Amino acid sequence: QVQLVESGGGLVQAGGSLRLSCAASGSIGSFTAMAWYRQAPGEQRDAVAGITSGGITNYVDSVKGRFTISRDDAKNTVFLQMNSLKPEDTAVYYCAAMSARGPSYWGQGTQVTVSS
């Protein structure tokens, strides 16, 4: 069992930046990938960014060029740097530890609110 704890969310004005962190209780290197998802009120939970154990990254089109996912395996932590934030980025952001079949573990989520 691995616990994931997100932090770094908050309220920011449009155009601002936030850096989310996801601290794992175990080795993140044992997972196929780590990912960030987000869920807005009344919406489904969607993937935002992912990073494989080898460091390959991918992003949903709406955040490309604005968000950067990274990982520190020595600290078992994953980050999401979010720049040029828009009101439509408002959501609860979740960290996920991924197996080949999909998310194996979820964090509790951290709220990101972007005001216009």
Side-chain angles (χ1 to χ4, degrees):
Q1 189 78 9
V2 173
Q3 292 185 329
L4 304 174
V5 179
E6 301 98 333
S7 61
L11 173 65
V12 64
Q13 289 187 331
S17 298
L18 284 173
R19 188 190 195 209
L20 305 184
S21 298
C22 170
S25 62
S27 172
I28 61 173
S30 63
F31 295 100
T32 300
M34 298 296 294
W36 287 95
Y37 286 69
R38 67 187 179 187
Q39 186 170 20
E43 303 288 334
Q44 66 180 20
R45 190 175 298 186
D46 292 323
V48 174
I51 183 167
T52 69
S53 56
I56 298 172
T57 59
N58 61 82
Y59 302 90
V60 66
D61 284 348
S62 60
V63 308
K64 284 180 179 177
R66 300 188 298 122
F67 290 12
T68 302
I69 188 171
S70 61
R71 59 192 289 157
D72 184 338
D73 285 32
K75 296 182 178 179
N76 292 314
T77 303
V78 182
F79 304 97
L80 186 67
Q81 177 67 43
M82 305 187 295
N83 299 327
S84 302
L85 282 161
K86 304 175 181 180
E88 51 264 44
D89 295 317
T90 295
V92 178
Y93 283 70
Y94 297 90
C95 177
M98 310 291 290
S99 73
R101 292 175 292 179
S104 296
Y105 298 98
W106 292 98
Q108 84 289 351
T110 186
Q111 176 70 48
V112 171
T113 303
V114 185
S115 64
S116 58

XYZ file of all heavy atoms in Angstrom:
849
model
N 0.840 -1.189 0.000
C 0.000 0.000 0.000
C 0.881 1.247 0.000
O 1.825 1.351 0.779
C -0.897 0.012 1.257
C -1.948 1.084 1.266
C -3.133 0.727 0.400
O -3.229 -0.414 -0.087
N -4.026 1.665 0.192
N 0.571 2.170 -0.900
C 1.319 3.421 -1.006
C 0.363 4.571 -0.751
O -0.740 4.591 -1.294
C 1.965 3.566 -2.395
C 2.600 4.942 -2.561
C 3.011 2.476 -2.610
N 0.786 5.498 0.051
C -0.008 6.704 0.292
C 0.593 7.869 -0.485
O 1.821 8.029 -0.498
C -0.067 7.029 1.777
C -0.850 6.013 2.583
C -0.997 6.402 4.048
O -0.125 7.056 4.610
N -2.110 6.015 4.649
N -0.279 8.632 -1.117
C 0.123 9.811 -1.870
C -0.505 11.040 -1.216
O -1.712 11.051 -0.969
C -0.343 9.703 -3.325
C 0.113 8.471 -4.099
C -0.537 8.425 -5.476
C 1.622 8.433 -4.230
N 0.307 12.041 -0.966
C -0.183 13.256 -0.323
C 0.179 14.460 -1.177
O 1.366 14.760 -1.366
C 0.415 13.418 1.094
C -0.102 14.697 1.732
C 0.077 12.202 1.956
N -0.870 15.125 -1.687
C -0.658 16.314 -2.505
C -0.618 17.566 -1.643
O -1.226 17.617 -0.565
C -1.790 16.493 -3.540
C -1.971 15.344 -4.510
C -3.074 14.398 -4.090
O -3.344 14.313 -2.865
O -3.669 13.741 -4.953
N 0.083 18.567 -2.123
C 0.128 19.867 -1.472
C 0.426 20.927 -2.519
O 0.830 20.600 -3.645
C 1.174 19.893 -0.361
O 2.462 19.650 -0.895
N 0.235 22.189 -2.143
C 0.591 23.284 -3.031
C -0.566 23.972 -3.717
O -0.358 24.962 -4.425
N -1.770 23.461 -3.545
C -2.920 24.108 -4.154
C -3.244 25.423 -3.468
O -2.663 25.773 -2.439
N -4.186 26.168 -4.053
C -4.583 27.428 -3.458
C -5.337 28.288 -4.426
O -5.788 27.826 -5.480
N -5.484 29.549 -4.055
C -6.188 30.544 -4.871
C -5.153 31.446 -5.528
O -4.257 31.970 -4.861
C -7.127 31.354 -3.980
C -7.817 32.552 -4.633
C -8.757 32.087 -5.738
C -8.581 33.350 -3.576
N -5.297 31.617 -6.848
C -4.346 32.441 -7.587
C -5.113 33.198 -8.660
O -6.144 32.717 -9.154
C -3.226 31.562 -8.192
C -3.779 30.590 -9.222
C -2.111 32.408 -8.777
N -4.615 34.348 -9.035
C -5.234 35.107 -10.108
C -4.830 34.536 -11.463
O -3.765 33.900 -11.599
C -4.828 36.576 -10.027
C -5.440 37.326 -8.862
C -5.140 38.818 -8.916
O -4.126 39.240 -9.448
N -6.041 39.621 -8.360
N -5.654 34.776 -12.446
C -5.342 34.338 -13.809
C -3.985 34.900 -14.231
O -3.671 36.066 -13.945
C -6.421 34.800 -14.777
N -3.187 34.054 -14.855
C -1.843 34.427 -15.251
C -0.783 34.064 -14.231
O 0.415 34.136 -14.523
N -1.222 33.668 -13.052
C -0.297 33.321 -11.992
C 0.209 31.896 -12.091
O -0.088 31.176 -13.057
N 0.974 31.504 -11.085
C 1.605 30.184 -11.068
C 1.396 29.494 -9.730
O 1.244 30.150 -8.696
C 3.117 30.312 -11.316
O 3.394 30.871 -12.578
N 1.385 28.179 -9.778
C 1.381 27.330 -8.592
C 2.255 26.117 -8.871
O 2.379 25.688 -10.021
C -0.033 26.859 -8.242
C -0.993 27.853 -7.587
C -2.381 27.234 -7.476
C -0.502 28.289 -6.228
N 2.817 25.563 -7.807
C 3.587 24.326 -7.928
C 2.996 23.296 -6.988
O 3.013 23.484 -5.761
C 5.064 24.555 -7.584
C 5.946 23.348 -7.892
C 7.333 23.532 -7.319
N 8.286 22.579 -7.871
C 9.357 22.144 -7.209
N 9.594 22.579 -5.989
N 10.193 21.299 -7.781
N 2.458 22.239 -7.563
C 1.900 21.148 -6.771
C 2.972 20.102 -6.503
O 3.830 19.855 -7.349
C 0.730 20.500 -7.503
C -0.409 21.417 -7.939
C -1.533 20.582 -8.559
C -0.924 22.255 -6.791
N 2.888 19.493 -5.326
C 3.780 18.407 -4.964
C 2.968 17.186 -4.571
O 1.858 17.317 -4.032
C 4.679 18.811 -3.786
O 5.499 19.904 -4.108
N 3.508 16.026 -4.825
C 2.889 14.761 -4.446
C 3.960 13.904 -3.797
O 4.883 13.445 -4.476
C 2.305 14.066 -5.661
S 1.756 12.372 -5.376
N 3.844 13.716 -2.492
C 4.812 12.928 -1.746
C 4.273 11.523 -1.542
O 3.149 11.345 -1.051
C 5.097 13.588 -0.404
N 5.077 10.534 -1.915
C 4.668 9.134 -1.794
C 5.335 8.488 -0.583
O 6.481 8.803 -0.256
C 5.041 8.375 -3.058
N 4.602 7.560 0.044
C 5.140 6.865 1.218
C 6.079 5.732 0.829
O 6.781 5.197 1.694
C 3.989 6.309 2.065
O 3.250 5.354 1.317
N 6.100 5.373 -0.456
C 6.975 4.327 -0.951
C 7.681 4.770 -2.213
O 7.564 5.913 -2.630
N 8.392 3.840 -2.808
C 9.187 4.159 -3.984
C 8.314 4.396 -5.209
O 7.573 3.507 -5.640
C 10.153 3.013 -4.279
O 10.807 3.227 -5.513
N 8.413 5.586 -5.787
C 7.649 5.859 -7.009
C 8.290 5.170 -8.211
O 7.655 5.006 -9.242
C 7.494 7.371 -7.269
C 8.856 8.049 -7.463
C 6.711 8.023 -6.145
C 8.743 9.509 -7.894
N 9.527 4.775 -8.070
C 10.210 4.082 -9.161
C 9.637 2.714 -9.456
O 9.916 2.148 -10.520
N 8.844 2.189 -8.550
C 8.250 0.872 -8.750
C 7.007 0.914 -9.634
O 6.478 -0.130 -10.002
C 7.897 0.242 -7.401
O 6.916 1.012 -6.738
N 6.557 2.115 -9.962
C 5.362 2.277 -10.787
C 5.730 2.574 -12.236
O 6.777 3.144 -12.516
C 4.470 3.387 -10.231
C 3.912 3.061 -8.873
C 4.488 3.579 -7.726
C 2.820 2.223 -8.751
C 3.983 3.270 -6.477
C 2.306 1.903 -7.507
C 2.897 2.420 -6.364
N 4.854 2.193 -13.133
C 5.065 2.442 -14.549
C 5.212 3.938 -14.824
O 6.046 4.363 -15.624
C 3.893 1.886 -15.366
O 3.793 0.480 -15.133
C 4.076 2.145 -16.852
N 4.375 4.715 -14.154
C 4.402 6.166 -14.333
C 3.716 6.822 -13.144
O 3.054 6.156 -12.340
C 3.683 6.558 -15.633
N 3.902 8.111 -13.052
C 3.163 8.934 -12.103
C 2.388 9.966 -12.917
O 2.851 10.396 -13.988
C 4.103 9.623 -11.131
C 4.915 8.664 -10.269
S 3.910 7.659 -9.158
C 3.244 8.918 -8.050
N 1.234 10.365 -12.428
C 0.400 11.262 -13.205
C -0.354 12.238 -12.323
O -0.539 12.000 -11.125
C -0.592 10.456 -14.039
N -0.763 13.321 -12.951
C -1.671 14.284 -12.332
C -2.984 14.268 -13.105
O -2.989 14.304 -14.334
C -1.078 15.688 -12.343
C 0.039 15.889 -11.371
C 1.379 15.788 -11.617
C -0.090 16.222 -9.986
N 2.095 16.029 -10.473
C 1.215 16.309 -9.449
C -1.176 16.481 -9.145
C 1.464 16.626 -8.112
C -0.934 16.791 -7.820
C 0.374 16.869 -7.313
N -4.077 14.223 -12.365
C -5.424 14.326 -12.905
C -6.086 15.551 -12.275
O -5.618 16.069 -11.266
C -6.258 13.090 -12.546
C -5.932 11.831 -13.318
C -4.731 11.156 -13.130
C -6.846 11.285 -14.218
C -4.438 9.995 -13.830
C -6.567 10.117 -14.921
C -5.367 9.484 -14.716
O -5.092 8.320 -15.403
N -7.185 15.965 -12.868
C -7.974 17.028 -12.256
C -9.460 16.779 -12.491
O -9.849 16.140 -13.466
C -7.582 18.407 -12.771
C -7.886 18.675 -14.233
C -7.289 20.027 -14.644
N -7.526 20.319 -16.048
C -6.994 21.368 -16.686
N -6.188 22.212 -16.033
N -7.261 21.572 -17.954
N -10.247 17.304 -11.549
C -11.695 17.138 -11.626
C -12.368 18.432 -11.223
O -12.236 18.882 -10.082
C -12.157 15.987 -10.725
C -13.626 15.649 -10.865
C -13.985 14.356 -10.155
O -13.274 13.894 -9.270
N -15.082 13.751 -10.558
N -13.071 19.035 -12.174
C -13.841 20.241 -11.906
C -15.237 19.839 -11.426
O -15.690 18.721 -11.694
C -13.922 21.098 -13.158
N -15.937 20.727 -10.735
C -17.285 20.398 -10.239
C -18.198 19.945 -11.377
O -18.292 20.605 -12.410
C -17.766 21.712 -9.636
C -16.522 22.421 -9.239
C -15.510 22.061 -10.295
N -18.851 18.803 -11.175
C -19.774 18.297 -12.171
C -19.127 17.648 -13.372
O -19.822 17.255 -14.312
N -17.808 17.548 -13.343
C -17.090 16.972 -14.471
C -16.426 15.656 -14.071
O -16.291 15.341 -12.895
C -16.023 17.951 -14.975
C -16.551 19.312 -15.386
C -17.342 19.259 -16.679
O -17.080 18.347 -17.495
O -18.233 20.126 -16.866
N -15.998 14.901 -15.063
C -15.259 13.671 -14.774
C -13.804 14.016 -14.466
O -13.331 15.107 -14.743
C -15.344 12.712 -15.956
C -14.645 13.218 -17.216
C -14.767 12.224 -18.368
O -15.627 11.360 -18.378
N -13.888 12.343 -19.349
N -13.123 13.051 -13.870
C -11.702 13.220 -13.565
C -10.898 12.908 -14.826
O -11.011 11.824 -15.395
C -11.293 12.297 -12.419
C -9.918 12.549 -11.879
C -9.626 11.672 -10.669
N -10.543 11.945 -9.567
C -10.422 11.382 -8.359
N -9.413 10.557 -8.106
N -11.305 11.651 -7.418
N -10.080 13.847 -15.242
C -9.307 13.698 -16.475
C -7.811 13.807 -16.218
O -7.382 14.562 -15.342
C -9.700 14.785 -17.492
C -11.106 14.616 -18.020
O -11.532 13.454 -18.217
O -11.776 15.637 -18.223
N -7.055 13.095 -17.002
C -5.603 13.170 -16.910
C -5.107 14.508 -17.424
O -5.634 15.045 -18.407
C -4.966 12.039 -17.695
N -4.105 15.049 -16.768
C -3.512 16.327 -17.146
C -2.092 16.121 -17.662
O -1.716 16.657 -18.697
C -3.494 17.295 -15.945
C -2.749 18.575 -16.286
C -4.904 17.587 -15.473
N -1.305 15.352 -16.913
C 0.098 15.147 -17.278
C 0.581 13.846 -16.678
O 0.082 13.413 -15.627
C 0.958 16.307 -16.783
N 1.562 13.248 -17.330
C 2.140 12.017 -16.825
C 3.630 11.985 -17.074
O 4.135 12.662 -17.975
N 4.321 11.199 -16.259
C 5.770 11.030 -16.444
C 6.104 9.576 -16.142
O 5.743 9.041 -15.091
C 6.565 12.021 -15.558
C 8.060 11.890 -15.826
C 6.235 11.841 -14.081
C 8.875 13.050 -15.233
N 6.788 8.925 -17.080
C 7.129 7.515 -16.901
C 8.312 7.374 -15.956
O 8.969 8.350 -15.586
C 7.485 6.871 -18.244
O 8.729 7.425 -18.701
C 6.400 7.111 -19.281
N 8.586 6.132 -15.592
C 9.737 5.868 -14.729
C 11.031 6.263 -15.428
O 12.034 6.547 -14.759
C 9.777 4.394 -14.330
O 9.798 3.575 -15.485
N 11.015 6.306 -16.755
C 12.192 6.715 -17.516
C 12.248 8.198 -17.806
O 13.180 8.673 -18.461
N 11.259 8.953 -17.340
C 11.274 10.398 -17.492
C 10.566 10.928 -18.718
O 10.606 12.148 -18.981
N 9.887 10.081 -19.467
C 9.131 10.556 -20.623
C 7.839 11.205 -20.139
O 7.127 10.637 -19.313
C 8.827 9.404 -21.599
C 10.129 8.830 -22.141
C 7.937 9.887 -22.740
C 9.960 7.578 -22.959
N 7.554 12.396 -20.659
C 6.390 13.141 -20.210
C 5.333 13.255 -21.308
O 5.642 13.161 -22.493
C 6.780 14.562 -19.771
O 7.384 15.238 -20.871
C 7.773 14.523 -18.611
N 4.101 13.435 -20.889
C 3.024 13.728 -21.828
C 2.004 14.615 -21.141
O 1.886 14.601 -19.911
C 2.377 12.456 -22.377
C 1.757 11.605 -21.296
O 0.638 11.856 -20.871
N 2.474 10.612 -20.834
N 1.290 15.406 -21.949
C 0.367 16.399 -21.427
C -0.907 16.421 -22.265
O -0.879 16.175 -23.469
C 0.995 17.797 -21.481
C 2.282 17.928 -20.717
C 3.511 17.684 -21.321
C 2.281 18.305 -19.376
C 4.698 17.792 -20.629
C 3.463 18.431 -18.667
C 4.666 18.166 -19.295
O 5.836 18.289 -18.590
N -1.995 16.782 -21.625
C -3.209 17.051 -22.371
C -2.989 18.361 -23.133
O -2.243 19.241 -22.692
C -4.417 17.137 -21.418
C -4.314 18.327 -20.499
C -5.717 17.121 -22.183
N -3.593 18.484 -24.303
C -3.328 19.636 -25.162
C -3.573 20.975 -24.466
O -2.851 21.952 -24.700
C -4.192 19.564 -26.425
C -3.682 18.538 -27.429
O -2.540 18.046 -27.263
O -4.415 18.218 -28.382
N -4.576 21.029 -23.613
C -4.960 22.310 -23.009
C -3.908 22.871 -22.052
O -3.986 24.048 -21.685
C -6.296 22.161 -22.271
O -6.194 21.193 -21.251
N -2.953 22.061 -21.625
C -1.934 22.551 -20.684
C -0.531 22.557 -21.276
O 0.416 23.004 -20.618
C -1.932 21.755 -19.362
C -3.327 21.700 -18.765
C -1.350 20.357 -19.543
N -0.386 22.072 -22.499
C 0.941 22.037 -23.120
C 1.526 23.440 -23.208
O 0.844 24.390 -23.601
C 0.855 21.418 -24.513
C 0.694 19.911 -24.506
C 0.617 19.355 -25.920
C 0.477 17.845 -25.914
N 0.337 17.287 -27.281
N 2.789 23.556 -22.832
C 3.455 24.855 -22.848
C 3.243 25.664 -21.587
O 3.905 26.686 -21.385
N 2.313 25.232 -20.729
C 2.041 25.964 -19.481
C 2.380 25.137 -18.245
O 2.828 25.696 -17.247
C 0.567 26.378 -19.422
C 0.113 27.265 -20.550
C -1.301 27.794 -20.315
N -2.299 26.738 -20.231
C -3.096 26.538 -19.181
N -3.014 27.330 -18.131
N -3.998 25.569 -19.202
N 2.153 23.841 -18.300
C 2.394 22.958 -17.158
C 3.632 22.098 -17.426
O 3.882 21.706 -18.566
C 1.212 22.028 -16.930
C -0.041 22.693 -16.408
C -0.191 24.073 -16.378
C -1.087 21.913 -15.944
C -1.345 24.664 -15.902
C -2.255 22.490 -15.459
C -2.379 23.866 -15.456
N 4.353 21.800 -16.358
C 5.507 20.907 -16.462
C 5.466 19.902 -15.317
O 5.407 20.291 -14.139
C 6.821 21.693 -16.392
O 6.859 22.668 -17.436
C 8.013 20.739 -16.550
N 5.494 18.621 -15.665
C 5.554 17.567 -14.656
C 7.004 17.116 -14.507
O 7.747 17.047 -15.485
C 4.635 16.382 -15.043
C 4.543 15.369 -13.893
C 5.083 15.723 -16.337
C 3.488 14.281 -14.108
N 7.383 16.833 -13.266
C 8.742 16.352 -13.007
C 8.709 15.413 -11.811
O 7.688 15.317 -11.110
C 9.701 17.519 -12.754
O 9.296 18.273 -11.625
N 9.815 14.726 -11.585
C 9.867 13.777 -10.484
C 11.248 13.783 -9.846
O 12.248 14.032 -10.509
C 9.516 12.375 -10.976
C 10.419 11.846 -12.066
C 9.851 10.579 -12.705
N 9.916 9.439 -11.794
C 9.137 8.364 -11.887
N 8.206 8.299 -12.842
N 9.276 7.365 -11.053
N 11.270 13.494 -8.556
C 12.504 13.324 -7.802
C 12.411 11.963 -7.140
O 11.796 11.820 -6.074
C 12.646 14.451 -6.780
C 13.969 14.401 -6.022
O 14.577 13.303 -5.965
O 14.383 15.434 -5.490
N 12.987 10.959 -7.762
C 12.878 9.596 -7.241
C 13.570 9.441 -5.894
O 13.157 8.612 -5.079
C 13.436 8.604 -8.250
C 12.490 8.390 -9.433
O 11.782 9.344 -9.798
O 12.460 7.276 -9.974
N 14.613 10.204 -5.653
C 15.321 10.112 -4.370
C 14.419 10.545 -3.217
O 14.542 10.045 -2.092
C 16.578 10.958 -4.401
N 13.493 11.467 -3.516
C 12.572 11.958 -2.480
C 11.167 11.393 -2.656
O 10.252 11.778 -1.922
C 12.529 13.484 -2.511
C 13.859 14.141 -2.159
C 13.741 15.660 -2.155
C 15.077 16.289 -1.753
N 15.008 17.777 -1.751
N 10.994 10.513 -3.649
C 9.676 9.915 -3.908
C 8.590 10.981 -4.030
O 7.513 10.875 -3.423
C 9.322 8.892 -2.832
C 10.203 7.668 -2.903
O 10.439 7.118 -3.984
N 10.738 7.248 -1.768
N 8.898 11.992 -4.811
C 8.002 13.129 -4.958
C 7.838 13.469 -6.441
O 8.794 13.404 -7.213
C 8.535 14.346 -4.191
O 8.705 13.989 -2.816
C 7.566 15.522 -4.272
N 6.620 13.842 -6.784
C 6.291 14.274 -8.140
C 5.768 15.703 -8.054
O 5.076 16.064 -7.085
C 5.229 13.362 -8.767
C 4.919 13.785 -10.197
C 5.697 11.920 -8.750
N 6.094 16.485 -9.071
C 5.718 17.893 -9.058
C 4.897 18.236 -10.303
O 5.026 17.591 -11.346
C 6.966 18.776 -9.031
C 7.888 18.487 -7.885
C 8.996 17.663 -8.061
C 7.656 19.040 -6.635
C 9.856 17.393 -7.002
C 8.509 18.772 -5.575
C 9.605 17.948 -5.753
N 4.100 19.274 -10.179
C 3.419 19.844 -11.330
C 3.554 21.359 -11.230
O 2.916 21.982 -10.368
C 1.943 19.441 -11.391
C 1.212 19.895 -12.655
C 1.761 19.152 -13.882
C -0.298 19.657 -12.538
N 4.408 21.911 -12.086
C 4.567 23.354 -12.153
C 3.522 23.894 -13.123
O 3.492 23.486 -14.288
C 5.970 23.721 -12.631
C 6.206 25.209 -12.793
C 6.180 25.957 -11.475
O 6.747 25.501 -10.491
N 5.513 27.110 -11.451
N 2.690 24.797 -12.637
C 1.599 25.324 -13.443
C 1.793 26.829 -13.613
O 1.769 27.578 -12.625
C 0.254 25.037 -12.774
C 0.030 23.559 -12.461
S -1.627 23.205 -11.852
C -1.602 24.097 -10.307
N 2.010 27.250 -14.836
C 2.197 28.665 -15.153
C 1.060 29.163 -16.037
O 0.335 28.371 -16.633
C 3.537 28.868 -15.871
C 4.724 28.460 -15.037
O 4.712 28.583 -13.808
N 5.770 27.964 -15.692
N 0.952 30.465 -16.132
C -0.077 31.086 -16.977
C -1.453 30.473 -16.716
O -2.169 30.100 -17.647
C 0.295 30.941 -18.456
O 1.547 31.526 -18.718
N -1.794 30.365 -15.467
C -3.037 29.698 -15.091
C -4.255 30.459 -15.599
O -4.260 31.702 -15.672
C -3.109 29.533 -13.581
C -2.261 28.373 -13.043
C -1.992 28.528 -11.562
C -2.929 27.040 -13.331
N -5.278 29.691 -15.950
C -6.527 30.236 -16.474
C -7.680 29.812 -15.564
O -7.577 28.783 -14.875
C -6.778 29.691 -17.877
C -5.651 29.949 -18.863
C -5.943 29.272 -20.193
C -4.812 29.499 -21.201
N -5.092 28.841 -22.503
N -8.773 30.555 -15.569
C -9.925 30.146 -14.741
C -10.394 28.726 -15.043
O -10.842 28.018 -14.129
C -10.993 31.185 -15.117
C -10.205 32.400 -15.467
C -8.983 31.881 -16.170
N -10.256 28.290 -16.275
C -10.688 26.933 -16.624
C -9.765 25.851 -16.058
O -10.064 24.659 -16.186
C -10.824 26.771 -18.144
C -9.616 27.222 -18.943
C -9.773 28.647 -19.471
O -10.231 29.525 -18.714
O -9.402 28.864 -20.652
N -8.653 26.235 -15.457
C -7.795 25.272 -14.771
C -8.297 24.977 -13.350
O -7.751 24.099 -12.667
C -6.349 25.788 -14.678
C -5.694 25.926 -16.033
O -5.859 25.015 -16.868
O -5.003 26.947 -16.254
N -9.305 25.701 -12.917
C -9.862 25.488 -11.584
C -10.412 24.075 -11.446
O -11.228 23.628 -12.256
C -10.974 26.506 -11.295
O -10.412 27.816 -11.257
C -11.668 26.217 -9.972
N -9.929 23.360 -10.428
C -10.329 21.964 -10.221
C -9.637 21.443 -8.967
O -8.754 22.099 -8.413
C -9.929 21.107 -11.416
N -10.042 20.253 -8.562
C -9.270 19.505 -7.574
C -8.258 18.672 -8.354
O -8.622 17.953 -9.288
C -10.161 18.602 -6.713
C -9.307 17.800 -5.725
C -11.202 19.432 -5.960
N -7.000 18.795 -7.973
C -5.919 18.090 -8.661
C -5.501 16.880 -7.827
O -5.264 16.995 -6.620
C -4.730 19.028 -8.883
C -4.963 19.981 -10.033
C -5.893 21.012 -9.917
C -4.281 19.846 -11.234
C -6.133 21.880 -10.975
C -4.510 20.701 -12.294
C -5.442 21.716 -12.148
O -5.679 22.573 -13.201
N -5.422 15.739 -8.504
C -5.087 14.482 -7.858
C -3.804 13.910 -8.437
O -3.585 13.940 -9.650
C -6.194 13.454 -8.069
C -7.528 13.819 -7.456
C -8.471 14.530 -8.179
C -7.841 13.433 -6.155
C -9.698 14.859 -7.630
C -9.066 13.753 -5.594
C -9.989 14.473 -6.339
O -11.201 14.789 -5.775
N -3.001 13.352 -7.573
C -1.809 12.604 -7.967
C -2.189 11.128 -8.067
O -2.991 10.633 -7.262
C -0.729 12.817 -6.919
S 0.797 11.912 -7.174
N -1.613 10.430 -9.035
C -1.896 9.015 -9.204
C -0.611 8.252 -9.483
O 0.244 8.718 -10.248
C -2.880 8.796 -10.348
N -0.498 7.069 -8.869
C 0.583 6.138 -9.178
C 0.027 5.119 -10.162
O -1.002 4.491 -9.882
C 1.073 5.460 -7.913
N 0.682 4.991 -11.301
C 0.130 4.251 -12.424
C 0.811 2.898 -12.626
O 2.035 2.795 -12.594
C 0.310 5.067 -13.709
C -0.165 6.502 -13.629
S -1.937 6.640 -13.507
C -2.401 6.128 -15.172
N -0.020 1.887 -12.878
C 0.485 0.619 -13.378
C 0.168 0.557 -14.868
O -0.439 1.484 -15.420
C -0.176 -0.535 -12.633
O -1.530 -0.661 -13.057
N 0.512 -0.540 -15.503
C 0.214 -0.690 -16.928
C -1.289 -0.715 -17.183
O -1.753 -0.429 -18.288
C 0.857 -1.960 -17.467
N -2.068 -1.021 -16.143
C -3.521 -1.111 -16.302
C -4.238 0.176 -15.931
O -5.455 0.266 -16.051
C -4.061 -2.268 -15.452
C -3.633 -3.647 -15.951
C -4.083 -4.744 -15.007
N -3.388 -4.679 -13.742
C -3.606 -5.511 -12.734
N -4.508 -6.459 -12.841
N -2.920 -5.406 -11.622
N -3.482 1.181 -15.424
C -4.114 2.426 -15.035
C -3.741 2.821 -13.623
O -2.786 2.289 -13.060
N -4.494 3.764 -13.034
C -4.166 4.234 -11.679
C -4.274 3.122 -10.644
O -5.280 2.434 -10.583
C -5.211 5.323 -11.421
C -5.666 5.762 -12.775
C -5.604 4.533 -13.623
N -3.208 2.981 -9.849
C -3.215 2.013 -8.761
C -3.522 2.673 -7.424
O -4.158 2.072 -6.559
C -1.859 1.293 -8.672
O -1.610 0.528 -9.828
N -3.026 3.884 -7.251
C -3.235 4.628 -6.010
C -3.540 6.084 -6.346
O -3.008 6.631 -7.321
C -1.995 4.552 -5.108
C -1.636 3.163 -4.673
C -0.650 2.440 -5.321
C -2.310 2.564 -3.599
C -0.332 1.150 -4.926
C -1.987 1.276 -3.206
C -1.007 0.580 -3.872
O -0.702 -0.701 -3.475
N -4.374 6.685 -5.480
C -4.737 8.086 -5.620
C -4.402 8.850 -4.345
O -4.477 8.288 -3.247
C -6.249 8.236 -5.850
C -6.763 7.719 -7.148
C -7.360 6.512 -7.377
C -6.760 8.397 -8.402
N -7.728 6.410 -8.692
C -7.369 7.548 -9.345
C -6.300 9.648 -8.833
C -7.527 7.904 -10.687
C -6.460 10.000 -10.160
C -7.066 9.136 -11.076
N -4.074 10.118 -4.523
C -3.980 10.995 -3.378
C -5.357 11.539 -3.028
O -6.354 11.218 -3.685
N -5.411 12.373 -2.005
C -6.685 12.910 -1.540
C -7.118 14.140 -2.326
O -8.265 14.569 -2.227
C -6.611 13.240 -0.043
C -6.007 14.603 0.299
C -4.515 14.692 0.063
O -3.833 13.707 -0.207
N -3.982 15.917 0.164
N -6.214 14.716 -3.091
C -6.531 15.869 -3.910
C -6.181 17.191 -3.245
O -6.150 17.304 -2.011
N -5.907 18.184 -4.076
C -5.647 19.533 -3.603
C -6.387 20.516 -4.517
O -6.360 20.373 -5.739
C -4.134 19.832 -3.557
O -3.911 21.111 -2.964
C -3.488 19.803 -4.934
N -7.054 21.488 -3.902
C -7.890 22.414 -4.653
C -7.049 23.513 -5.288
O -6.220 24.135 -4.604
C -8.941 23.052 -3.739
C -9.816 24.103 -4.400
C -10.772 23.516 -5.411
O -11.466 22.527 -5.144
N -10.840 24.129 -6.597
N -7.274 23.742 -6.556
C -6.674 24.864 -7.277
C -7.816 25.740 -7.791
O -8.697 25.251 -8.499
C -5.801 24.385 -8.446
C -5.361 25.573 -9.305
C -4.589 23.626 -7.925
N -7.796 27.002 -7.402
C -8.819 27.948 -7.848
C -8.140 29.136 -8.510
O -7.261 29.764 -7.912
C -9.668 28.434 -6.666
O -10.259 27.308 -6.006
C -10.772 29.367 -7.147
N -8.537 29.408 -9.752
C -7.961 30.512 -10.517
C -9.051 31.557 -10.737
O -10.067 31.272 -11.378
C -7.400 30.034 -11.858
C -6.708 31.184 -12.582
C -6.427 28.876 -11.651
N -8.824 32.727 -10.210
C -9.816 33.807 -10.345
C -9.517 34.647 -11.579
O -8.363 34.823 -11.971
C -9.814 34.678 -9.093
O -8.565 35.322 -8.950
N -10.578 35.158 -12.179
C -10.406 35.968 -13.398
C -10.236 37.445 -13.081
O -10.380 37.864 -11.953
C -11.617 35.780 -14.307
O -12.800 36.142 -13.619
